[in-house]
Amino acid sequence: MKKTLLAVAVAGTLALSNVASADTILGITINPGDFLQIGTIWEGSLSTNGTGTIQATGEQLVGVGVVDVIKDADGNVTWASRTNGVYLAFYVDSHITQAIIDPAPAGPPINVLFSGGAAHFYQLNAAFTPVTGDYAASKAIIAAGNLFLDVTGGTSRLCTAADACIGGVGTAVTLDSTINSGNLGNIGSASGSGFLNVTGAGAADSILNTNSLIGGNDMVLGSSFNSGTATKGFGASGSIDIRGEVVPEPATLSLLGLGLLGLGAMRRRRNS
């Protein structure tokens, strides 16, 4: 079910519909309607300052990344890195490893469940490149910018007895990752998915706080990652994809409502 609802990737676009005029916030343009945001991410465990992968429950997943472009629903770029002399970078933190489900005999797929989590997107005046093998220093560079978007992990499901989460049955799962090849220490290919909720702290949060997804969540994220050589000293790297809706202008609310009703009807037809 998670694969149907979600998607995780870090490497390059924010797609939005153009039903109304665009908003430019801190020099970054986004359009009302649905959007897609993709960027590159480097991640690892907090205990290793990002250089190692998650190895055990209780460890915290952290990472840093960049957003490359924003596109409208037709694939046209509305903002690209360096446009208006600004850049978008982010750091993630607070994802607590709740369970590592490794089937017998041990090997992929290996399911890793996380609770909590947050992502903080900042507008910068210079291109961001992570400090090799140093999460703390990389995060400090990003956090010196202007907070553009701030989100926390949203609940996608609750831990069951079979999951054996350290927080117990009923713990909210906010990030669900699967290692499809390799192992915890050497990830060949992996994917992750989860929900996000806008906190209200970022400059663009007001137009992204829609509560429009399952459970009242604002956004859905998906990622793909591995422990390849191009990790800049981090335990893993890959791409991240974040989708949600931009709050439309008042004049477009009725039009958007009709569109959502149409989408609902299409989904009901497909499910039947």
Side-chain angles (χ1 to χ4, degrees), residues 58-261:
E59 290 189 326
Q60 184 181 150
L61 177 68
V62 296
V64 296
V66 296
V67 175
D68 299 320
V69 298
I70 296 173
K71 296 182 179 180
D72 64 21
D74 298 319
N76 302 308
V77 174
T78 60
W79 178 85
S81 184
R82 291 184 63 184
T83 301
N84 297 331
V86 300
Y87 303 78
L88 259 182
F90 63 93
Y91 69 88
V92 298
D93 58 15
S94 307
H95 287 94
I96 305 301
T97 309
Q98 284 291 326
I100 298 175
I101 305 170
D102 193 351
I110 302 170
N111 196 206
V112 185
L113 305 179
F114 298 89
S115 63
H120 319 275
F121 293 76
Y122 284 80
Q123 176 251 41
L124 303 177
N125 294 320
F128 169 75
T129 299
V131 178
T132 301
D134 195 331
Y135 164 73
S138 300
K139 170 185 171 180
I141 294 172
I142 296 170
N146 300 302
L147 186 58
F148 178 77
L149 171 64
D150 194 62
V151 295
T152 57
T155 301
S156 57
R157 70 176 182 86
L158 303 178
C159 286
T160 66
D163 296 324
C165 291
I166 60 173
V169 174
T171 300
V173 175
T174 57
L175 179 61
D176 192 336
S177 294
T178 300
I179 298 174
N180 298 304
S181 66
N183 52 52
L184 291 172
N186 185 18
I187 301 169
S189 67
S191 62
S193 58
F195 284 115
L196 297 171
N197 288 312
V198 173
T199 69
D205 283 20
S206 62
I207 66 170
L208 298 171
N209 187 14
T210 64
N211 304 315
S212 59
L213 301 180
I214 293 173
N217 292 298
D218 296 314
M219 301 175 182
V220 61
L221 71 86
S223 67
S224 63
F225 53 94
N226 60 67
S227 297
T229 56
T231 60
K232 295 193 180 295
F234 283 74
S237 64
S239 61
I240 187 168
D241 167 292
I242 299 176
R243 303 177 188 228
E245 290 182 357
V246 175
V247 176
E249 296 175 355
T252 71
L253 283 172
S254 59
L255 178 61
L256 180 58
L258 289 173
L260 291 174
L261 286 173

